[in-house]
């Protein structure tokens, strides 16, 4: 009796057969602070405009900004929870996205270099981002929201695997 192949749904790009690693939930806080800061600056500008010229459009614009900020905060929480990565034998998988789901598969042999970055807000919350670079810019992938120790471990492992696979070419 022959074994039947497992059906793969092209509309479900995040295979359930992969052991996904999630990013840190602290990334939600970092993203919300960045979005809130932007909304507050925008509201301050609209408030100044309203104080200088009392016109009905200023408070209406402020309401729109607040509604958009609340909606964007809700989306941000869900989007961060959608990030994940998985290390396999020959490649690294990175997934993200809600409405448009994206699955990047980066073969270790195709990696040219790996960056670890952390902006001031990320550092304040003990997070870093691992960025993978390949010869084709479209296949670059990033994994945000990792604790620095995990980011360093992933960087070192990816670099070692990339060198090993490149030697075999």
């Amino acid at each position: 009796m022959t074994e039947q192949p497992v059906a793969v749904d092209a509309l479900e790009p995040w295979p359930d057969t992969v052991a996904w690693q999630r990013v840190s939930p602290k990334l939600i806080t970092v993203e919300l602070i960045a979005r809130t800061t932007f909304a507050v600056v925008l509201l301050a500008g609209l408030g100044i405009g309203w104080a200088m010229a009392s016109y009905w459009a200023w408070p209406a614009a402020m309401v729109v900004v607040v509604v958009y900020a609340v909606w964007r905060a809700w989306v941000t929480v869900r989007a961060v929870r959608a990030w994940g990565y998985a290390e396999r034998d020959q490649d690294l998988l990175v997934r993200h996205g809600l409405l448009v789901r994206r699955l990047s598969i980066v073969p270790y042999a195709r990696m040219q270099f790996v960056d670890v970055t952390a902006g001031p807000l990320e550092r304040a919350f003990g997070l870093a981002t691992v960025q993978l670079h390949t010869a084709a810019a479209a296949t670059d992938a990033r994994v945000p929201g990792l604790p620095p120790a995990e980011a360093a471990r992933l960087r070192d492992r990816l670099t070692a695997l990339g060198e090993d696979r490149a030697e075999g070419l």
Side-chain angles (χ1 to χ4, degrees):
M1 186 166 158
T2 61
E3 188 175 310
Q4 295 294 325
V6 177
V8 177
D9 183 2
L11 299 177
E12 183 57 48
W14 299 352
D16 291 332
T17 58
V18 175
W20 294 103
Q21 301 293 318
R22 296 197 175 255
V23 299
S24 172
K26 292 178 185 179
L27 185 59
I28 294 171
T29 306
V30 169
E31 293 290 329
L32 290 177
I33 288 172
R35 295 192 191 293
T36 301
T37 302
F38 179 77
V40 167
V41 169
L42 194 55
L43 286 171
L46 291 170
I48 291 169
W50 189 20
M52 294 178 76
S54 185
Y55 184 62
W56 68 269
W58 294 110
M62 293 171 82
V63 169
V64 169
V65 168
V66 169
V67 169
Y68 177 75
V70 169
W71 174 78
R72 195 65 185 124
W74 177 74
V75 169
T76 296
V77 171
R78 295 197 56 222
V80 168
R81 290 183 180 152
W83 273 99
Y85 68 98
E87 301 170 63
R88 298 194 307 181
D89 291 338
Q90 301 296 320
D91 49 30
L92 178 76
L93 281 70
V94 180
R95 71 175 190 188
H96 64 93
L98 292 173
L99 185 60
V100 177
R101 294 180 176 185
R102 182 172 180 165
L103 174 65
S104 298
I105 302 171
V106 183
Y108 297 132
R110 300 286 182 171
M111 284 189 284
Q112 291 186 329
F113 65 97
V114 181
D115 278 337
V116 176
T117 60
L121 198 51
E122 285 178 304
R123 285 194 310 270
F125 283 87
L127 297 176
T129 298
V130 173
Q131 176 83 36
L132 303 130
H133 299 277
T134 62
T139 58
D140 289 357
R142 71 183 188 97
V143 183
L146 297 177
E150 173 63 10
R153 183 204 66 81
L154 186 60
R155 177 202 60 213
D156 294 344
R157 182 168 192 278
L158 294 175
T159 301
L161 286 169
E163 289 173 356
D164 288 347
R165 301 300 190 276
E167 287 176 5
L169 292 179

